[in-house]
Amino acid sequence: MDGPNALILAVIGVTMMLAGYFLYSRFLAKKVYKLNAEFKTPSHEFRDGVDFLPTNRYVLWGHHFTSVAGAAPIVGPAVAVIWGWLPAFLWVTIGTVFIAGMHDFGALWASARNKGRSMGALSGTYIGNRGRNLFLVVIFLLLLMVIAAFAVVISGLLVSQPTAVIPTWGALIVALLVGQAIYRLRWNLVAISSVGVVALYGLILVGDRYPVELPEQFMGLAPEGQWIVLLFVYAAIASLLPVWVLLQPRDFINGIQLFIGLGIIYGAVLLATPTVVAPAYNQHVPEGTPGIVPLLFVTIACGAISGFHGIVSSGTSAKQLDRETDARFVGYFGAVGEGLLALGAIIATTAGFQTIAQWEEVYESFGAGGVPAFVEGGASIINSGLGLPAGLSATILATMTVLFAATTLDTGVRLKRFVVQEIGQIAGVRIGTGPATAIVIVICAALTFSQGADGAGGLTIWPLFGTTNQLLAGLTLTILTVILIRKGRPFLPVLIPAVFVLAMTIYAALVQLFDLFADGEWLLFTLDVVIIVAALWVLVEAVIAMGQARRGEREPEDDVALTPEQRLPLDR
C-alpha cells in the first residue's frame, strides 16, 4: 500500500512548529520566563568585544541556529526512520514545539539572568558545588564526543563530495568580509545578507565544477586525516578570534544560506509531491535492530531535544544577547529551524526513493542511512521537483551538511575552552585563553588519531553521544525547574518534559550499558558507568534543591535597566 504524500507531512510539520513559535513561545515569554526588554544583559555589563558583545538578534539567531544544528538533526532522523516515518515525525514535531524550543529558550534566559554563566556554573549556584563538578564531567565528555566525531564526519564528506570543498572553505572568506561590513563599515544588514548569500551560492557553483581532492598520502596521513588536521587548526584559530570577526558573520550568512537550502528542499517537495515509500511503522526491521522504546528518543536528539543546545545557549549565545526579549526569537526559533531540518531529513530519507525495495536496500541494518541517505534522497527530490542536476543537488546538500557541522565544530572548541577554564577555576588554577584552547585541541586530536592516521578514533566514544546528550538535556531542564521554583514562576511546563526525557534516557543508558558489557566494550562500558553515575547524582542533588526551593524564600528579581546610550544601533 502506498504511503502518504510527503507534502502532507511537510505542511503538518511546518504548521505545528510555526504555531509553537507564535503561540507557545509567547506563553513561555510572558508567563514562565517573564522577559524584560529593559534588563541589562551580560553582553552590555561585561562587553569586551571578544566573547561578550551586544548583537543584532538576526545575526545572533544565525550564530545560534547553525551552532546547535550541526549534522545531528540530519543523522538522527535519517537513522531513526528505520522504525518507520511516523514515530520519527511525531517525536520531531512534538519534541520541537514542547521540549526543544522551551529548553533552548530557557537555557538562554537563565544564563542571561546570571551574568552569562554556563549551565555547568549555574548548577553550582542552584544545586551545589558537588552537583556542579559532576555536571561539568558530563559536559566535558559530551563536547569531546561532538568535536572529535564532527571532525571525522566533515572530513569524510569533503573526501566523498570533493565538490563541497571550495564552498566550505570559501565561506570563511565571505564571513570575514561580512563581519567587517557589519561592524566596521556599518553597512545595511539586508544588503550585506543578500551579497553574502549570492557569494556563497556562487561558490557552490564553482565547487560543483572544480572539485578539490587531497593527495592519497601526505606526511603519513590519508586524505581524511589531512582534512582533520586542517579542521582542528581552523577551529582553534576561530575559537580565539573575537566573535564579531568570524563566528557571528559566518554563522549568520550560513544560517540564511542554510534556510534557503531548506526552502529548496521544501519547495521541491511542493512541486514534486513525492510519495513516502517507507512504512509508517516498520514491523519488519532488520535483524539486530534495537527496540524503538527507548532508543528512538536518544537516536533523534537534535531536532527534538538536545543537551548540546543548552551548552551553546548558555556558553556563547547568552554572552551576545542584546535584549532579554531577543531570547525568544534566538532560542525558541533556533530550535524551530533545527526541527525543520530534522523534518526535511525524514522526508528526504523516506520519500527520496522510488520504491520500498530501494529504501530497504539502504536500510539493511540499524545505523544505516544517515547523511548519505539524506544526500541521495534529497537530491532525488530536488532533481524531480526543481529540475536541478542530480550532481549539483548533491553538492548543495553536502555543502549544507558540512557548513552545519563546521559551525558546530568551532563553537564546540570555544565552549570546551570555557569548560577547561571553569575546571581550572575550581582547581584554583587560572588557565589563559590560549593554553585552554591548546589543551582542548590536544585532547580531541589524541582521541581522533588514537585508532590510526585516518582519524577514525574520533568515533570511538560516539556510541555514547545519544544517551549523554539527552541526559544533559534532562539535567538542564531540572536546573531550570529549580530556578523557576526559586523565582516563584510556573514550572510544570519545564518539569513534565524533564521527567519524560530523563526517564527515557536513563532507560536507554541502562540498556546500552548491558549491551556494552555483553560485547566486552570495556572503555565504553566504563565511560557509560561514569556518565550514568554522574547524571543520577546531579539529578538527586537537583531534586533535593527543588524541595528546598519550594520551602525557602523567593529569589528577588534583578532588573537593572539599560541606559539609552547602551541600545544597540544596528537595524532591528
Side-chain angles (χ1 to χ4, degrees), residues 34 39 109-110 112-115 117 122 124-127 479-489 548-559:
K34 296 185 180 180
F39 176 72
W109 162 79
R113 276 279 158 172
N114 288 273
K115 302 184 181 300
R117 290 186 294 166
L122 289 181
T125 300
Y126 287 96
I127 65 175
I479 294 170
L480 282 175
T481 302
V482 175
I483 295 173
L484 292 171
I485 292 174
R486 292 203 17 192
K487 289 182 177 294
R489 307 276 183 84
Q548 293 173 339
R550 297 200 69 178
R551 294 189 298 270
E553 294 183 3
R554 293 290 175 253
E555 185 178 84
E557 299 290 355
D558 182 22
D559 288 340

Side-chain angles (χ1 to χ4, degrees), residues 305-490:
I305 172 68
S306 167
F308 179 72
H309 293 200
I311 307 176
V312 174
S313 294
S314 64
T316 58
S317 300
K319 294 178 176 63
Q320 302 167 58
L321 196 68
D322 176 35
R323 295 188 181 185
E324 188 175 70
T325 46
D326 293 345
R328 177 185 169 220
F329 178 75
V330 174
Y332 195 100
F333 197 65
V336 167
E338 187 177 66
L340 292 174
L341 177 59
L343 177 61
I346 291 171
I347 291 173
T349 54
T350 59
F353 300 92
Q354 298 300 312
T355 64
I356 182 65
Q358 289 181 359
W359 183 83
E360 288 177 338
E361 185 177 343
V362 172
Y363 286 89
E364 60 181 0
S365 63
F366 182 72
V371 173
F374 168 73
V375 172
E376 180 184 349
S380 174
I381 294 174
I382 293 172
N383 173 255
S384 195
L386 302 180
L388 293 180
L392 178 59
S393 300
T395 298
I396 291 174
L397 294 180
T399 302
M400 230 174 94
T401 306
V402 170
L403 290 178
F404 267 127
T407 55
T408 301
L409 176 68
D410 58 35
T411 298
V413 171
R414 186 181 290 259
L415 291 169
K416 197 170 180 67
R417 183 244 295 174
F418 292 153
V419 172
V420 168
Q421 290 177 305
E422 284 184 22
I423 293 173
Q425 289 175 356
I426 293 171
V429 179
R430 186 181 183 279
I431 305 177
T433 300
T437 303
I439 291 172
V440 170
I441 295 299
V442 168
I443 292 173
C444 294
L447 174 64
T448 305
F449 290 106
S450 63
Q451 301 294 318
D454 61 352
L459 297 176
T460 302
I461 61 175
W462 182 252
L464 299 178
F465 171 77
T467 51
T468 306
N469 190 42
Q470 299 303 69
L471 280 172
L472 185 59
L475 296 176
T476 297
L477 291 176
T478 61
I479 294 170
L480 282 175
T481 302
V482 175
I483 295 173
L484 292 171
I485 292 174
R486 292 203 17 192
K487 289 182 177 294
R489 307 276 183 84

Side-chain angles (χ1 to χ4, degrees), residues 464 467 509 512-513 516 524-533:
L464 299 178
T467 51
Q512 186 176 43
L513 189 67
L516 292 172
L524 295 179
F525 176 82
T526 302
L527 287 175
D528 201 17
V529 169
V530 170
I531 292 167
I532 292 172
V533 170

Side-chain angles (χ1 to χ4, degrees), residues 37-124:
E38 302 303 314
F39 176 72
K40 187 175 183 179
T41 56
S43 67
H44 291 280
E45 186 174 359
F46 305 108
R47 180 170 184 161
D48 60 7
V50 178
D51 294 317
F52 291 87
L53 181 68
T55 303
N56 178 286
R57 65 174 180 164
Y58 299 108
V59 176
L60 182 55
W61 172 85
H63 154 68
H64 182 80
F65 167 51
T66 54
S67 294
V68 300
I74 295 173
V75 175
V79 169
V81 293
I82 197 167
W83 288 301
W85 63 262
L86 183 58
F89 175 80
L90 291 176
W91 177 224
V92 163
T93 51
I94 296 173
T96 295
V97 172
F98 293 105
I99 308 180
M102 173 272 295
H103 168 276
D104 298 10
F105 182 5
L108 183 55
W109 162 79
S111 179
R113 276 279 158 172
N114 288 273
K115 302 184 181 300
R117 290 186 294 166
S118 69
M119 292 309 301
L122 289 181
S123 64

